[in-house]
Amino acid sequence: MSLALPTSLMRTICALCCTILAVELCADENVCRTSDGKAFRGLLVGFSEQGHPVFDTNIGSNTVPLDELLYWGGLHDSPDGTQVLLADGSLIVAADVQLDGEMLLVRSRLFGEVEGFSINGLSRLPISAVRAIVFRAPLRPADRDQLLKRLQTVADAEDQLWLANGDVLKGTISRLARENQDDKPGPMTVVIKADAGDVEIRAEQPQGGLLEKVQAIAFNPALVRKVDQNSPALLVGLSDGTRLYAKQIDADGERATFTLVSGVKLTSHPDEDIWRKISSLQSFGPHVKYLSGLSPADYRHQPMLERKWPLGRDESVTGSRLRTAGRMFVKGLGMHSSARAVYVLDQPYARLEAELAIDESAGKEGSVLFLVAHDAGGKFKIAYKSPIIRGGDPPVPISLDVTGARRIALFVEEADHGKVLDRANWLDARLIPVVRE
């Protein structure tokens, strides 16, 4: 005797199973997503001669063209090490840095050739490609974000030495070096030529010490090379928190040379299998349009009291990076309940995709509903309504058909407990253009 289930119940069960599978794929950091809507699990094992990533999957090797790749893996940052911020937005986590004329010597476990006493590789970067150096990155992610944002927006036409006590010295950095002792790294010294004379700050530790009194150096932005921020690039995230905006990757076995958007070239350390150190890839190009790159035709937030929350473009409503489940996202929208954002579409698109979550800064608090409406004939119709999404929940991926839509509207509404900490993230919110034959 067989038991026939009602068609409506079968559809509900199928939809639930698909949702569970999609959430599991979203939470799996070995998942690769492509612009044709497909997703698969795989490990990055290299790049082809044509410059495309190659993945090892349970059914064999899979090469994904860059103009079809959306992302693979999960991007992470770290407060560890000395952090070198480049003109193109890349960030290198280093074991040590020193100035040598017009070059910055960067020692790293992941990049460069081994020279001298150090097991770390040595890379030489033109100082014109370096925007800032962070010696003391804050432990709190939000504080790290604000520090990097401030360093990227320095406008004064001179170098700046940011001290740990909050003071800022302005002038020209003339020295950043160690005095090595008995083939061992000695204390670091930095000298800035200011109007009142030279100011020298020396590390307090006798050997190998960093600059305990210095938080960061911001170099004169007028001397930093200009970079086309709209240039198509591949964002490469590494396990130590390094992230590189690369325009070309040349593979040579377990090693690779990364040509960055800024023109800097980095070659991986000879003793490291660089492919095992890469934790994420994200491709930017004409095959995907991120909503954060579009200006909304209308944005409204309905405050609970008097505070109105802005629309976060590539950041949360608090102004920090978008973070969820231990991962950082460089693309997406941040909204607080109750809010609405309307976009006029500039070309035909096939799908709207995103991962929906509460920002990590809310902890286990916050609960919202995400809604999407689109207008294909002069009137908005609801195309999607999420389940209640709470703080700490894994991201929920969506992929919606928007064929023929002229406008789309994104809504965030309060759910369980009013509007407290309803910091909603539309992670990697993107439009996939219609593919023309």
Side-chain angles (χ1 to χ4, degrees), residues 199-218:
V199 178
E200 176 180 304
I201 299 178
R202 186 182 179 90
E204 296 175 355
Q205 299 181 32
Q207 285 189 338
L210 294 175
L211 297 172
E212 300 88 351
K213 297 179 180 179
V214 177
Q215 183 175 47
I217 292 175

Side-chain angles (χ1 to χ4, degrees), residues 6 19 44 69-70 83 99 127 190 210 262 266 410 428:
T19 298
L44 181 69
L69 175 70
L70 292 178
Q83 303 189 355
L99 275 177
I127 197 64
V190 61
L210 294 175
S262 62
L266 291 171
L410 310 181
D428 285 331

Side-chain angles (χ1 to χ4, degrees), residues 372-414:
V372 179
H374 60 69
D375 166 22
K379 184 177 180 180
F380 278 110
K381 294 182 179 180
I382 297 296
Y384 173 81
K385 181 178 180 180
S386 75
I388 295 176
I389 296 178
R390 299 178 175 87
D393 287 350
V396 174
I398 61 170
S399 181
L400 307 177
D401 185 357
V402 293
T403 303
R406 300 174 183 175
R407 297 180 297 169
I408 59 171
L410 310 181
F411 300 84
V412 171
E413 300 293 346
E414 62 185 278

Side-chain angles (χ1 to χ4, degrees), residues 24 53 64 79-80 92 97 121 130 139 152 170 186 188 199 203 209 214 254 309 346-347 368 372 386 392 395 430 434:
E24 288 179 349
V64 178
D80 298 335
I92 302 170
V97 295
V130 180
L139 294 177
Q152 288 175 315
K170 298 181 179 182
M188 177 79 81
V199 178
V214 177
E254 295 181 350
W309 290 93
D346 59 343
Q347 68 181 74
V368 302
V372 179
S386 75
R430 57 197 178 267
V434 172

Side-chain angles (χ1 to χ4, degrees), residues 158-337:
E158 52 190 338
D159 298 337
Q160 296 186 9
L161 193 62
W162 294 14
L163 304 184
N165 65 4
D167 291 344
V168 176
L169 304 179
K170 298 181 179 182
T172 302
I173 301 294
S174 61
R175 177 177 172 80
L176 178 64
R178 293 188 183 277
E179 297 178 4
N180 297 330
Q181 303 168 345
D182 300 325
D183 291 333
K184 295 181 179 179
M188 177 79 81
T189 300
V190 61
V191 177
I192 184 168
K193 291 182 176 294
D195 291 340
D198 290 1
V199 178
E200 176 180 304
I201 299 178
R202 186 182 179 90
E204 296 175 355
Q205 299 181 32
Q207 285 189 338
L210 294 175
L211 297 172
E212 300 88 351
K213 297 179 180 179
V214 177
Q215 183 175 47
I217 292 175
F219 291 103
N220 183 347
L223 303 180
V224 176
R225 63 179 60 169
K226 300 295 185 287
V227 174
D228 181 7
Q229 299 293 347
N230 296 318
S231 174
L234 179 69
L235 174 59
V236 183
L238 292 109
S239 57
D240 66 348
T242 292
R243 50 186 183 269
L244 307 175
Y245 284 95
K247 61 182 180 181
Q248 182 176 327
I249 299 177
D250 297 304
D252 182 10
E254 295 181 350
R255 301 190 71 185
T257 297
F258 301 81
T259 302
L260 307 187
V261 173
S262 62
V264 167
K265 288 191 175 184
L266 291 171
T267 300
S268 61
H269 193 287
D271 296 336
E272 292 287 349
D273 182 352
I274 193 63
W275 312 118
R276 293 182 178 273
K277 299 299 181 180
I278 294 176
S279 60
S280 68
L281 299 173
Q282 185 166 5
S283 181
F284 305 100
H287 64 296
V288 57
K289 177 69 70 69
Y290 287 95
L291 283 180
S292 56
L294 301 176
S295 297
D298 182 42
Y299 171 75
R300 298 182 185 181
H301 173 256
Q302 182 63 44
M304 182 172 64
L305 296 174
E306 294 183 358
R307 181 171 184 176
K308 288 190 176 182
W309 290 93
L311 174 67
R313 298 169 68 175
D314 294 335
E315 60 185 23
S316 73
V317 292
T318 64
S320 298
R321 290 280 198 181
L322 297 158
R323 286 186 173 84
T324 296
R327 294 168 58 189
M328 184 176 74
F329 296 78
V330 298
K331 290 295 181 181
L333 301 172
M335 296 169 64
H336 199 290
S337 67

